[in-house]
């Protein structure tokens, strides 16, 4: 099927490979490590790129190819490459575009392992990184140097939910002829299409909304044919963060319900944010769907809704935050996000522990910040669990004092 103008239809049909042999509705899982050649000449021709066809599981697989085509269609890019993890996608995409002596401008606040890769590993390879506040145009422009090759950011930022203006970053990158890379994990293509603004490469942790069921770790990069070919022939092929066909199939299945899931995530999250915002024990709520949020004005422009994730601070100390989280019954204390289950975590001690204390402070990640990925349970049950945990925290505090 050709591309529809409707996202919901595309999540189900666009990029699907037709099963010519049996007409299977659901994509077959080609659970194979290698592919048989008819003869030596055919094997040689495939290795030389003179004949199309599969060679070996690390170089390509039909089930994986379908996932890639589906994601390229949803992100409105020419092509895509799938990986065995989001970090596989992030590292392979960056390293395919960087070499010794290059410079990167990156957002000061990033997912913890992306930050660790750039801050701890890249200097060992002679790649320099400047971390800036990407909401500040002057700071971005001042950080760009003659050897800047890549500009890298997430929006909303994990975990503090700051929203960065995609159009602004894309325009600076185009003007300065720098490759722009965005991590679109938090919004997913259901809510945000960075390609509309001319962003060059879009990476995802497919572990999150794309799969949506908490049973796969995977990643995807979407971009031009030329860029994806470069990644596939260098850092994917030679570093090997390959996805399994079975995991690719689970994500294809997850994608079919992406738009309905994300719609409900957003609906529930807005109600949870409003509840937290009005709770006396909550100091602040960072949710882009609330009118007072710094990124609210970009809703309806670069993002279609506020998403399913928020960060908030309890009016109290670190121990109070711990007490609150330990008093929850239904919400699970777990890292990851975008699953059917409501997940709650403490960035300073969990996902963002690769940051030093001062680095966290500079990135706006306080010690009492809590991140909540609102799930698909009934809204009354989510709010009742949060409400009960606040009550338990308060009664414990009264006993202690
Ligand atoms: N990018 C973002 C924005 C992420 O949140 C994550 C993982 C990754 C990349 C890496 O993806 P992975 O390799 O795990 O598939 N974020 C996590 C989080 O916030 N909690 O647990 C993992």
């Amino acid at each position: 099927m050709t591309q529809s103008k409707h996202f919901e239809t595309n999540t189900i049909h666009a990029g699907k490979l037709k099963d010519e042999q049996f007409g299977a509705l659901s994509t077959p899982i080609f659970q194979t490590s290698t592919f048989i050649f008819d003869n030596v000449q055919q094997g040689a021709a495939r290795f030389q790129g003179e004949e199309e066809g599969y060679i070996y599981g690390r170089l390509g697989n039909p089930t994986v190819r379908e996932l890639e085509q589906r994601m390229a269609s949803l992100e409105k890019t020419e092509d895509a490459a799938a990986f065995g993890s989001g970090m596989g996608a992030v590292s392979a995409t960056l390293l395919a575009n960087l070499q010794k002596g290059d410079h990167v401008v990156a957002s000061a606040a990033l997912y913890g392992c992306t930050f660790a890769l750039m801050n701890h590993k890249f200097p060992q390879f002679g790649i320099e990184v400047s971390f800036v506040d990407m909401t500040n145009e002057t700071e971005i422009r001042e950080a760009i140097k003659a050897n800047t090759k890549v500009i890298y950011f997430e929006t909303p930022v994990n975990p503090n939910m700051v929203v960065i203006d995609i159009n602004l970053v894309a325009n600076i990158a185009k003007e300065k002829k720098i490759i722009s890379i965005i991590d679109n994990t938090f919004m997913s293509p259901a809510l945000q299409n960075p390609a509309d603004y001319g962003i060059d490469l879009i990476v995802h942790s497919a572990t999150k909304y794309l799969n949506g069921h908490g049973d796969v770790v995977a990643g995807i990069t979407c971009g031009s044919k030329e860029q994806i070919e470069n990644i596939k022939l260098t850092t994917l092929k030679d570093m090997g963060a390959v996805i399994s066909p079975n995991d690719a199939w689970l994500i294809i299945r997850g994608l079919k319900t992406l738009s309905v899931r994300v719609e409900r995530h957003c609906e529930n999250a807005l109600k949870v944010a409003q509840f937290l915002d009005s709770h006396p024990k909550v100091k602040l709520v960072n949710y882009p769907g609330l009118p007072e949020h710094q990124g609210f004005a970009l809703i309806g422009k670069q993002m279609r809704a506020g998403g399913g994730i928020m960060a908030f601070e309890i009016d109290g100390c670190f121990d109070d935050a711990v007490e609150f989280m330990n008093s929850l019954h239904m919400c699970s204390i777990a890292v990851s996000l975008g699953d059917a289950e409501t997940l709650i975590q403490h960035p300073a001690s969990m996902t963002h522990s690769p940051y030093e204390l001062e680095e966290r402070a500079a990135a706006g990640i306080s010690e009492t910040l809590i991140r909540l990925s609102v799930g698909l349970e009934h809204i009354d049950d989510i709010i009742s669990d949060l409400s009960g945990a606040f009550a338990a925290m308060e009664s414990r505090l009264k006993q202690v004092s």
Side-chain angles (χ1 to χ4, degrees):
M1 198 204 93
T2 51
Q3 190 96 350
S4 160
K5 63 177 184 198
H6 300 294
F7 182 79
E8 296 83 344
T9 306
N10 289 329
T11 60
I12 295 162
H13 295 288
K16 182 169 165 45
L17 297 175
K18 190 163 191 261
D19 175 15
E20 300 287 355
Q21 201 175 0
F22 300 113
L25 173 69
S26 164
T27 306
I29 304 174
F30 289 90
Q31 190 74 33
T32 182
S33 61
T34 197
F35 298 84
I36 301 167
F37 307 131
D38 288 343
N39 49 48
V40 175
Q41 290 86 338
Q42 186 183 51
R46 289 199 185 165
F47 267 91
Q48 296 310 313
E50 291 159 3
E51 180 188 298
E52 291 241 328
Y54 292 98
I55 297 174
Y56 178 65
R58 181 159 39 76
L59 311 180
N61 170 288
T63 315
V64 172
R65 188 64 194 139
E66 172 163 333
L67 170 63
E68 292 170 344
Q69 292 191 1
R70 283 175 176 271
M71 276 306 298
S73 138
L74 298 182
E75 280 292 18
K76 305 188 208 172
T77 55
E78 286 175 359
D79 208 348
F83 295 85
S85 72
M87 283 317 299
V90 170
S91 57
T93 303
L94 281 163
L95 288 172
N97 286 287
L98 291 167
Q99 59 185 21
K100 187 175 160 198
D102 286 345
H103 173 248
V104 178
V105 174
S107 163
L110 291 166
Y111 168 57
C113 294
T114 306
F115 175 78
L117 174 73
M118 290 200 202
N119 196 39
H120 305 149
K121 208 72 210 161
F122 278 9
Q124 295 170 2
F125 296 127
I127 300 166
E128 192 198 350
V129 186
S130 298
F131 294 98
V132 302
D133 173 0
M134 285 257 173
T135 61
N136 184 328
E137 180 173 357
T138 313
E139 242 188 77
I140 304 174
R141 287 187 179 278
E142 283 176 0
I144 294 171
K145 306 198 249 187
N147 60 341
T148 306
K149 286 280 161 55
V150 164
I151 187 158
Y152 187 99
F153 67 115
E154 305 164 353
T155 180
V157 170
N158 185 359
N160 59 19
M161 300 307 292
V162 166
V163 173
I164 293 167
D165 187 331
I166 301 175
N167 197 38
L168 171 75
V169 180
N171 284 341
I172 297 175
K174 274 183 256 176
E175 181 194 319
K176 303 280 183 189
K177 300 195 169 32
I178 301 168
I179 295 165
S180 52
I181 308 178
I182 190 173
D183 184 327
N184 202 25
T185 301
F186 269 40
M187 286 281 105
S188 91
L191 296 178
Q192 183 166 280
N193 284 119
D196 287 344
Y197 299 90
I199 291 286
D200 295 307
L201 286 157
I202 303 157
V203 297
H204 281 277
S205 168
T207 315
K208 315 292 163 27
Y209 289 105
L210 300 181
N211 177 56
H213 293 76
D215 45 20
V216 168
V217 173
I220 303 270
T221 300
C222 303
S224 69
K225 240 182 172 29
E226 191 186 349
Q227 267 287 358
I228 296 301
E229 187 173 88
N230 176 36
I231 293 167
K232 282 192 169 180
L233 294 178
T234 61
T235 45
L236 177 52
K237 174 172 80 67
D238 298 335
M239 290 164 70
V242 68
I243 189 172
S244 84
N246 197 63
D247 286 352
W249 184 88
L250 283 165
I251 298 168
I252 292 169
R253 184 166 72 166
L255 286 179
K256 293 181 190 179
T257 56
L258 179 67
S259 61
V260 282
R261 284 188 286 109
V262 167
E263 205 177 302
R264 179 62 67 85
H265 280 297
C266 292
E267 200 182 301
N268 278 354
L270 180 60
K271 288 178 185 156
V272 169
Q274 287 164 342
F275 162 78
L276 291 173
D277 201 33
S278 63
H279 198 284
K281 292 306 289 178
V282 175
K283 197 160 70 184
L284 76 101
V285 184
N286 292 341
Y287 178 63
L290 292 178
E292 62 270 24
H293 189 271
Q294 153 273 347
F296 184 74
L298 286 168
I299 292 187
K301 292 185 183 152
Q302 74 179 36
M303 53 213 276
R304 290 182 271 283
I309 305 158
M310 67 199 64
F312 64 99
E313 279 186 31
I314 285 197
D315 188 13
C317 62
F318 173 76
D319 287 345
D320 301 337
V322 171
E323 187 64 38
F324 164 77
M325 288 176 68
N326 283 345
S327 302
L328 290 161
H329 295 293
M330 185 189 76
C331 302
S332 306
I333 304 171
V335 294
S336 203
L337 52 101
D339 290 327
E341 294 83 356
T342 295
L343 304 181
I344 194 160
Q345 68 111 0
H346 178 243
S349 64
M350 297 175 189
T351 51
H352 290 70
S353 52
Y355 281 75
E356 299 293 336
L357 186 64
E358 314 79 63
E359 292 168 341
R360 273 202 297 277
I365 305 164
S366 79
E367 301 305 289
T368 50
L369 193 75
I370 293 172
R371 191 188 73 192
L372 186 65
S373 169
V374 179
L376 302 175
E377 302 95 341
H378 194 284
I379 185 64
D380 292 352
D381 292 324
I382 302 172
I383 289 182
S384 149
D385 198 25
L386 294 169
S387 182
F390 280 122
M393 175 186 92
E394 285 180 279
S395 83
R396 236 324 270 278
L397 291 175
K398 272 190 204 128
Q399 282 168 17
V400 173
S401 60

